[in-house]
Amino acid sequence: GAVVSQHPSWVICKSGTSVKIECRSLDFQATTMFWYRQFPKQSLMLMATSNEGSKATYEQGVEKDKFLINHASLTLSTLTVTSAHPEDSSFYICSASRTSGGDNEQFFGPGTRLTVL
Amino acid sequence: GENVEQHPSTLSVQEGDSAVIKCTYSDSASNYFPWYKQELGKRPQLIIDIRSNVGEKKDQRIAVTLNKTAKHFSLHITETQPEDSAVYFCAGRSTDSWGKLQFGAGTQVVVTP
């Protein structure tokens, strides 16, 4: 159990376009989902935390108008990178936990490789 | 918020030897410390974790120790094998209501046959 999927696994887009990445919990209900960005040879940097039915909480320095997060159901969260630019090229990883905070493990998705030309 | 530092950034070991990675954290109220293994282009995989009410935990060749007073925790891998080669991340969980993880910078472990 506790499987998290992401779609697409990779995407190439032109500068100025928007890209949507989906994160799904396949066999459990995820009250909380987290979105991370990972540049080559670097660590995972938390971008935002989303809870089903409420607005996402963004980390300092992350533009909420550029990285739109929607957590419309207990099994789906989406990250939309608006007006993407080459510097947004990165590995985007989501994770999901069954409840908020507490003693709950985060289950990670396989990641989405975004390349902006 | 929580700040986690990890050392070393790279670690090369001979197959069969032990590997040790150390992390320090800043928030004395943090209570959960997982370790992840990440292979190139893949998702992080939880390999072991420890909670603040425990000083040591072991799972076969992997062990983690926690010193709450000094605010540091370590990963120990014994009898290393080539398949242990990967990037390892430590993390600390903050005590806010969201359960956010703060990751260390990572350690590239290379096990040479």
Side-chain angles (χ1 to χ4, degrees):
Chain A
V3 178
V4 177
S5 70
Q6 274 183 249
H7 179 80
S9 55
W10 59 270
V11 57
I12 302 172
C13 69
K14 292 182 179 180
S15 185
T17 61
S18 294
V19 174
K20 180 185 283 189
I21 302 170
E22 293 184 348
C23 177
R24 293 182 185 272
S25 55
L26 299 185
D27 52 3
F28 68 100
Q29 293 187 325
T31 305
T32 305
M33 287 186 171
F34 304 86
W35 285 96
Y36 297 86
R37 180 167 52 180
Q38 186 176 33
F39 293 109
K41 298 192 176 182
Q42 292 189 24
S43 187
L44 285 81
M45 298 300 297
L46 180 65
M47 299 175 67
T49 304
S50 75
N51 286 277
E52 184 264 339
S54 58
K55 289 184 179 180
T57 302
Y58 290 81
E59 294 299 300
Q60 194 172 8
V62 178
E63 300 173 58
K64 60 182 178 182
D65 293 331
K66 180 170 181 63
F67 299 100
L68 302 179
I69 291 172
N70 184 283
H71 192 162
S73 77
L74 285 171
T75 59
L76 174 64
S77 176
T78 60
L79 167 68
T80 301
V81 183
T82 62
S83 186
H85 291 285
E87 57 265 30
D88 298 322
S89 299
S90 188
F91 193 49
Y92 291 86
I93 308 175
C94 71
S95 70
S97 65
R98 289 188 173 92
T99 63
S100 298
D103 270 357
N104 290 289
E105 181 180 346
Q106 288 187 26
F107 301 97
F108 285 86
T112 296
R113 175 77 56 193
L114 170 63
T115 302
V116 185
L117 302 176
Chain B
E2 177 66 280
N3 181 46
V4 177
E5 294 192 357
Q6 183 173 347
H7 299 280
S9 57
T10 59
L11 182 59
S12 184
V13 295
Q14 201 77 22
E15 182 179 359
D17 289 348
S18 295
V20 180
I21 303 170
K22 298 181 179 181
C23 289
T24 60
Y25 61 98
S26 61
D27 186 353
S28 57
S30 289
N31 59 3
Y32 175 66
F33 306 94
W35 284 90
Y36 294 89
K37 175 183 180 182
Q38 187 181 31
E39 297 177 349
L40 190 63
K42 301 286 181 65
R43 78 185 84 195
Q45 290 183 300
L46 178 70
I47 56 172
I48 197 166
D49 56 16
I50 192 166
R51 302 186 189 281
S52 57
N53 59 347
V54 175
E56 184 175 357
K57 184 177 178 180
K58 190 174 181 180
D59 182 3
Q60 299 184 338
R61 296 186 297 110
I62 296 173
V64 57
T65 58
L66 171 65
N67 183 325
K68 286 176 57 180
T69 304
K71 289 190 286 187
H72 67 69
F73 56 111
S74 300
L75 177 72
H76 304 253
I77 307 173
T78 58
E79 300 172 29
T80 53
Q81 301 168 3
E83 51 265 38
D84 294 329
S85 297
V87 179
Y88 292 80
F89 293 99
C90 63
R93 184 166 65 197
S94 68
T95 52
D96 66 22
S97 61
W98 308 119
K100 297 188 295 186
L101 290 175
Q102 182 67 44
F103 283 82
T107 298
Q108 174 76 61
V109 174
V110 177
V111 180
T112 53

Coordinates of all heavy atoms in Angstrom, one line a residue, chain A residues 30-77:
Chain A
A30 N -5.0 11.0 0.9 CA -3.9 11.9 1.4 C -4.5 13.2 1.8 O -4.9 14.0 1.0 CB -2.9 12.1 0.3
T31 N -4.5 13.5 3.1 CA -5.0 14.7 3.6 C -4.0 15.8 3.2 O -4.4 17.0 2.9 CB -5.1 14.7 5.1 OG1 -6.0 13.6 5.5 CG2 -5.7 16.0 5.6
T32 N -2.7 15.5 3.3 CA -1.7 16.5 3.0 C -0.8 16.0 1.9 O -0.4 14.8 1.9 CB -0.8 16.8 4.3 OG1 -1.7 17.1 5.3 CG2 0.2 17.9 4.0
M33 N -0.5 16.9 1.0 CA 0.5 16.6 -0.1 C 1.6 17.7 -0.1 O 1.3 18.9 0.2 CB -0.2 16.5 -1.4 CG -1.0 15.2 -1.6 SD -1.6 15.0 -3.2 CE -2.3 13.3 -3.2
F34 N 2.8 17.3 -0.4 CA 3.9 18.3 -0.4 C 4.5 18.3 -1.9 O 4.6 17.2 -2.5 CB 5.0 17.8 0.5 CG 4.5 17.7 2.0 CD1 3.9 16.5 2.4 CD2 4.6 18.7 2.9 CE1 3.5 16.3 3.7 CE2 4.2 18.6 4.2 CZ 3.6 17.4 4.6
W35 N 4.9 19.4 -2.3 CA 5.6 19.6 -3.6 C 7.0 20.0 -3.3 O 7.3 21.0 -2.6 CB 4.9 20.6 -4.5 CG 3.6 20.0 -5.0 CD1 2.3 20.2 -4.5 CD2 3.5 19.2 -6.2 NE1 1.4 19.5 -5.3 CE2 2.1 18.9 -6.3 CE3 4.4 18.6 -7.1 CZ2 1.6 18.1 -7.4 CZ3 3.9 17.8 -8.1 CH2 2.5 17.6 -8.3
Y36 N 8.0 19.3 -4.0 CA 9.4 19.6 -3.8 C 10.0 19.8 -5.2 O 9.5 19.4 -6.2 CB 10.2 18.4 -3.2 CG 9.8 18.0 -1.8 CD1 8.7 17.2 -1.6 CD2 10.5 18.5 -0.8 CE1 8.4 16.8 -0.3 CE2 10.2 18.1 0.5 CZ 9.1 17.3 0.8 OH 8.8 16.9 2.1
R37 N 11.1 20.6 -5.2 CA 11.8 20.8 -6.5 C 13.3 20.4 -6.2 O 13.8 20.7 -5.1 CB 11.8 22.3 -6.9 CG 12.5 22.6 -8.1 CD 12.1 24.0 -8.6 NE 12.3 25.0 -7.6 CZ 12.0 26.3 -7.8 NH1 11.6 26.7 -9.0 NH2 12.2 27.2 -6.8
Q38 N 13.9 19.7 -7.1 CA 15.2 19.2 -6.9 C 16.0 19.5 -8.2 O 15.8 18.9 -9.2 CB 15.2 17.7 -6.6 CG 16.6 17.1 -6.3 CD 16.6 15.7 -5.9 OE1 15.8 14.9 -6.4 NE2 17.5 15.3 -5.0
F39 N 17.0 20.4 -8.0 CA 18.0 20.7 -9.1 C 19.1 19.6 -9.1 O 19.3 18.9 -8.1 CB 18.5 22.1 -9.0 CG 17.5 23.1 -9.2 CD1 17.0 23.9 -8.1 CD2 17.0 23.4 -10.4 CE1 16.1 24.9 -8.3 CE2 16.0 24.3 -10.7 CZ 15.5 25.1 -9.6
P40 N 19.8 19.4 -10.2 CA 20.8 18.4 -10.3 C 21.8 18.5 -9.2 O 22.3 19.6 -8.9 CB 21.4 18.7 -11.7 CG 20.3 19.3 -12.5 CD 19.6 20.1 -11.5
K41 N 22.1 17.3 -8.6 CA 23.1 17.2 -7.5 C 22.8 18.1 -6.3 O 23.7 18.5 -5.6 CB 24.5 17.5 -8.1 CG 24.9 16.6 -9.2 CD 26.4 16.7 -9.5 CE 26.7 15.6 -10.5 NZ 28.2 15.7 -10.9
Q42 N 21.5 18.4 -6.1 CA 21.1 19.1 -5.0 C 20.0 18.4 -4.2 O 19.6 17.3 -4.6 CB 20.6 20.5 -5.4 CG 21.7 21.4 -5.9 CD 21.2 22.9 -6.1 OE1 20.2 23.3 -5.5 NE2 21.8 23.6 -7.0
S43 N 19.7 19.0 -3.0 CA 18.7 18.3 -2.2 C 17.3 18.6 -2.6 O 17.1 19.4 -3.5 CB 18.9 18.8 -0.7 OG 18.1 18.0 0.2
L44 N 16.3 18.0 -2.0 CA 14.9 18.3 -2.2 C 14.6 19.6 -1.4 O 14.8 19.7 -0.2 CB 14.0 17.2 -1.7 CG 13.9 15.9 -2.5 CD1 15.1 15.0 -2.2 CD2 12.6 15.2 -2.2
M45 N 14.0 20.6 -2.2 CA 13.6 21.8 -1.6 C 12.1 21.9 -1.6 O 11.5 21.8 -2.6 CB 14.2 23.0 -2.3 CG 15.7 23.0 -2.3 SD 16.4 23.2 -0.7 CE 15.8 24.8 -0.2
L46 N 11.5 22.0 -0.4 CA 10.1 22.1 -0.3 C 9.6 23.4 -0.9 O 10.0 24.4 -0.6 CB 9.6 22.0 1.2 CG 8.1 22.0 1.5 CD1 7.4 20.8 0.9 CD2 7.9 22.1 3.0
M47 N 8.6 23.2 -1.8 CA 8.0 24.4 -2.4 C 6.7 24.8 -1.7 O 6.5 26.0 -1.4 CB 7.6 24.1 -3.9 CG 8.8 23.7 -4.7 SD 8.3 23.3 -6.4 CE 7.7 24.8 -7.0
A48 N 5.9 23.8 -1.4 CA 4.6 24.2 -0.8 C 3.9 22.9 -0.2 O 4.3 21.8 -0.5 CB 3.6 24.8 -1.8
T49 N 3.0 23.2 0.7 CA 2.3 22.1 1.4 C 0.8 22.4 1.1 O 0.3 23.5 1.2 CB 2.5 22.2 2.9 OG1 3.9 22.1 3.2 CG2 1.7 21.1 3.6
S50 N 0.1 21.3 0.7 CA -1.3 21.5 0.3 C -2.2 20.5 1.1 O -1.8 19.4 1.4 CB -1.5 21.3 -1.2 OG -1.5 20.0 -1.5
N51 N -3.3 21.0 1.6 CA -4.3 20.2 2.3 C -5.6 20.2 1.5 O -5.9 21.3 1.0 CB -4.5 20.8 3.7 CG -3.3 20.4 4.6 OD1 -3.2 19.4 5.2 ND2 -2.4 21.4 4.7
E52 N -6.2 19.1 1.4 CA -7.4 18.9 0.6 C -8.4 20.0 1.0 O -8.7 20.1 2.2 CB -8.0 17.5 0.8 CG -9.2 17.2 0.0 CD -10.5 17.4 0.7 OE1 -10.5 17.4 1.9 OE2 -11.5 17.6 0.0
G53 N -8.9 20.7 0.0 CA -10.0 21.7 0.2 C -9.5 23.0 0.7 O -10.4 23.9 0.9
S54 N -8.2 23.2 0.9 CA -7.8 24.6 1.4 C -6.6 25.0 0.5 O -6.0 24.3 -0.2 CB -7.4 24.5 2.9 OG -6.4 23.6 3.1
K55 N -6.3 26.3 0.7 CA -5.2 26.9 -0.1 C -3.9 26.3 0.4 O -3.7 26.0 1.5 CB -5.2 28.4 0.1 CG -6.4 29.1 -0.6 CD -6.2 30.6 -0.5 CE -7.4 31.3 -1.2 NZ -7.3 32.8 -1.1
A56 N -3.0 26.3 -0.6 CA -1.6 25.7 -0.3 C -0.8 26.8 0.5 O -1.0 28.0 0.4 CB -0.9 25.4 -1.6
T57 N 0.1 26.2 1.3 CA 1.0 27.1 2.1 C 2.4 27.0 1.4 O 3.0 25.9 1.3 CB 1.1 26.6 3.5 OG1 -0.1 26.6 4.1 CG2 2.1 27.5 4.3
Y58 N 2.9 28.2 0.9 CA 4.1 28.2 0.1 C 5.3 28.5 1.0 O 5.2 29.3 2.0 CB 4.0 29.2 -1.0 CG 3.0 28.8 -2.1 CD1 1.6 29.0 -1.9 CD2 3.5 28.3 -3.2 CE1 0.8 28.6 -2.9 CE2 2.6 27.9 -4.3 CZ 1.3 28.1 -4.1 OH 0.4 27.7 -5.1
E59 N 6.4 28.0 0.7 CA 7.6 28.3 1.4 C 8.2 29.6 1.0 O 7.8 30.1 -0.1 CB 8.7 27.2 1.1 CG 8.4 25.8 1.7 CD 8.2 25.9 3.2 OE1 9.2 26.2 3.9 OE2 7.1 25.5 3.7
Q60 N 8.9 30.2 1.8 CA 9.5 31.5 1.5 C 10.3 31.5 0.2 O 11.1 30.6 0.0 CB 10.4 32.0 2.7 CG 10.8 33.4 2.7 CD 11.5 33.9 4.0 OE1 11.8 33.0 4.8 NE2 11.7 35.1 4.1
G61 N 10.0 32.5 -0.6 CA 10.8 32.6 -1.9 C 10.1 31.9 -3.0 O 10.6 32.0 -4.2
V62 N 9.0 31.1 -2.8 CA 8.3 30.4 -3.9 C 7.1 31.3 -4.3 O 6.3 31.6 -3.4 CB 7.9 29.0 -3.4 CG1 7.1 28.4 -4.5 CG2 9.0 28.2 -3.0
E63 N 7.1 31.6 -5.6 CA 6.0 32.5 -6.0 C 4.7 31.7 -6.2 O 4.6 30.8 -7.1 CB 6.4 33.1 -7.4 CG 7.7 33.9 -7.3 CD 8.1 34.4 -8.8 OE1 7.3 35.0 -9.4 OE2 9.2 34.0 -9.2
K64 N 3.7 32.1 -5.4 CA 2.4 31.3 -5.5 C 1.7 31.6 -6.8 O 0.9 30.7 -7.2 CB 1.6 31.6 -4.3 CG 1.2 33.1 -4.1 CD 0.4 33.2 -2.8 CE 0.0 34.7 -2.6 NZ -0.7 34.9 -1.3
D65 N 1.9 32.7 -7.4 CA 1.2 33.0 -8.7 C 1.9 32.3 -9.8 O 1.3 32.2 -10.9 CB 1.2 34.5 -8.9 CG 0.3 35.2 -7.9 OD1 -0.6 34.6 -7.4 OD2 0.6 36.4 -7.6
K66 N 3.1 31.8 -9.6 CA 3.8 31.1 -10.7 C 3.6 29.6 -10.6 O 3.5 28.9 -11.5 CB 5.3 31.4 -10.7 CG 6.1 30.7 -11.7 CD 7.5 31.2 -11.8 CE 8.2 30.5 -12.9 NZ 7.6 30.7 -14.3
F67 N 3.6 29.1 -9.3 CA 3.4 27.7 -9.1 C 2.0 27.5 -8.4 O 1.9 27.6 -7.2 CB 4.5 27.2 -8.2 CG 5.9 27.3 -8.8 CD1 6.7 28.4 -8.4 CD2 6.4 26.4 -9.7 CE1 8.0 28.5 -9.0 CE2 7.6 26.6 -10.3 CZ 8.4 27.6 -9.9
L68 N 1.1 27.2 -9.3 CA -0.3 27.1 -8.8 C -0.6 25.7 -8.3 O -0.3 24.7 -9.0 CB -1.3 27.5 -9.9 CG -1.2 28.9 -10.5 CD1 -2.2 29.1 -11.6 CD2 -1.3 29.9 -9.4
I69 N -1.0 25.5 -7.1 CA -1.3 24.2 -6.5 C -2.8 24.1 -6.2 O -3.4 25.0 -5.6 CB -0.4 24.0 -5.3 CG1 1.1 23.9 -5.7 CG2 -0.8 22.7 -4.5 CD1 2.0 23.9 -4.5
N70 N -3.3 23.0 -6.6 CA -4.7 22.7 -6.3 C -4.8 21.3 -5.7 O -4.2 20.3 -6.2 CB -5.5 22.7 -7.6 CG -7.0 22.5 -7.4 OD1 -7.4 21.4 -7.1 ND2 -7.7 23.6 -7.4
H71 N -5.5 21.2 -4.6 CA -5.6 19.9 -3.9 C -7.1 19.6 -3.8 O -7.7 19.8 -2.7 CB -4.9 19.9 -2.6 CG -4.8 18.6 -1.9 ND1 -3.9 18.4 -0.9 CD2 -5.4 17.4 -2.1 CE1 -3.9 17.1 -0.5 NE2 -4.8 16.5 -1.2
A72 N -7.8 19.3 -4.9 CA -9.2 19.3 -5.0 C -9.8 18.0 -4.3 O -11.0 18.1 -4.0 CB -9.6 19.4 -6.4
S73 N -9.1 17.0 -4.2 CA -9.6 15.8 -3.6 C -8.6 15.1 -2.7 O -7.4 15.5 -2.7 CB -10.1 14.8 -4.7 OG -9.0 14.1 -5.2
L74 N -9.0 14.1 -2.0 CA -8.1 13.4 -1.1 C -7.1 12.5 -1.8 O -6.3 11.8 -1.2 CB -8.9 12.6 -0.1 CG -9.5 13.4 1.0 CD1 -10.5 12.5 1.9 CD2 -8.5 14.1 1.9
T75 N -7.2 12.4 -3.1 CA -6.3 11.6 -3.9 C -5.5 12.3 -5.0 O -4.7 11.7 -5.7 CB -7.0 10.3 -4.5 OG1 -8.0 10.8 -5.4 CG2 -7.6 9.5 -3.4
L76 N -5.8 13.6 -5.2 CA -5.2 14.3 -6.3 C -4.8 15.7 -5.9 O -5.6 16.5 -5.3 CB -6.2 14.4 -7.4 CG -5.8 15.2 -8.6 CD1 -4.5 14.7 -9.3 CD2 -6.9 15.3 -9.7
S77 N -3.5 16.0 -6.2 CA -3.0 17.4 -6.1 C -2.4 17.7 -7.4 O -1.7 16.8 -8.0 CB -2.1 17.6 -5.0 OG -1.5 18.9 -4.9

